Amino acid sequence: MLGLPQDVTLSGISIPAVREAMEEPLPPGPALRFALEDMSAKRRTEFAAGRICAARSLRKLGVIAEFPLPVRDRLPVWPSGVLGSISHCATMAVAMTAMKSRYCALGVDVESLIDPGVALEIQPSVCRDGEWIGLENHVPCRARSVTLLFSAKEALYKALYPLTGRFEDFHAAEFCGCEAGALVLRLTHDWTSCWRAGTRIRVRYAWLDRMVVSAAFIPGKP
């Protein structure tokens, strides 16, 4: 649905289906239940959904990993030689993986369509007026355009954070173009000496009814 390269794998699952999916023989089964013991019901469901997607995506790469993935600094620790990213919204979880030998950065995001009133309220935080006006020419609906740009920037930031170690706000990258099934984002200032102002990155996206999935994958070595 995203037009991903064959060496980038994506898996998704609906949140309501998580309990059924947890019956799958994902090795080692008891580890997931142990990891979930001290979580709230909502967090437990989200965590399980994301890890199930991660396991499935890794399988597509031919990688059998510890399950669930260990965590460091609140981020999953992926198997050696693998890049990965996990995201979830209220109704769906997704995970994307690829080999480090082919890609230097990977980020995925899924978002439910933002309510029109909320979209109007958060628009100044997500984008400048010029960005929204430019995107509106391609996505003539404020709720959809704000949701899409929010998701695309989240995917980009999730891809670059492991490389930069820096948290950036939504104005650290700006919409500068639209292609078939992709937004082009441009860094507005230097994030690091390797990721300079003006760098352009394509973020693929696809709508699934009232949800959008966005994916940033950057070829090359870090």
Side-chain angles (χ1 to χ4, degrees), residues 195-217:
W195 300 95
R196 309 300 294 269
T199 300
R200 297 186 179 212
I201 299 171
R202 293 170 70 250
V203 180
R204 303 285 306 174
Y205 71 88
W207 286 96
L208 302 173
D209 192 18
R210 294 177 62 83
M211 293 181 295
V212 64
V213 179
S214 301
F217 47 94

Side-chain angles (χ1 to χ4, degrees), residues 49-128:
R51 267 45 183 192
I52 289 167
C53 291
R56 289 176 172 177
S57 192
L58 287 168
R59 281 181 189 168
K60 293 179 183 180
L61 278 185
V63 176
I64 304 300
E66 178 180 354
F67 187 84
L69 298 172
V71 176
R72 182 172 59 241
D73 296 330
R74 301 183 66 182
L75 295 175
V77 178
W78 297 90
S80 177
V82 173
L83 289 172
S85 182
I86 299 173
S87 181
H88 59 79
C89 63
T91 55
M92 184 178 185
V94 294
M96 187 168 67
T97 58
M99 302 305 296
K100 286 184 177 179
S101 59
R102 300 296 303 276
Y103 296 88
C104 69
L106 205 69
V108 70
D109 183 72
V110 59
E111 299 291 340
S112 299
L113 182 64
I114 298 172
D115 178 81
V118 176
L120 179 62
E121 180 181 345
I122 70 171
Q123 180 185 319
S125 300
V126 175
C127 61
R128 296 179 174 88

Side-chain angles (χ1 to χ4, degrees), residues 144-216:
R144 281 190 169 250
S145 61
V146 172
T147 302
L148 175 56
L149 195 51
F150 181 98
S151 182
K153 290 187 177 185
E154 279 285 324
L156 171 62
Y157 296 164
K158 290 173 71 172
L160 293 187
Y161 177 77
L163 300 178
T164 66
R166 292 175 51 176
F167 291 101
E168 301 285 351
D169 66 25
F170 281 101
H171 297 307
E174 62 185 3
F175 167 77
C176 65
C178 202
E179 301 176 3
L183 299 186
V184 181
L185 302 181
R186 177 173 53 212
L187 304 188
T188 59
H189 63 256
D190 294 350
W191 290 26
T192 67
S193 60
C194 295
W195 300 95
R196 309 300 294 269
T199 300
R200 297 186 179 212
I201 299 171
R202 293 170 70 250
V203 180
R204 303 285 306 174
Y205 71 88
W207 286 96
L208 302 173
D209 192 18
R210 294 177 62 83
M211 293 181 295
V212 64
V213 179
S214 301

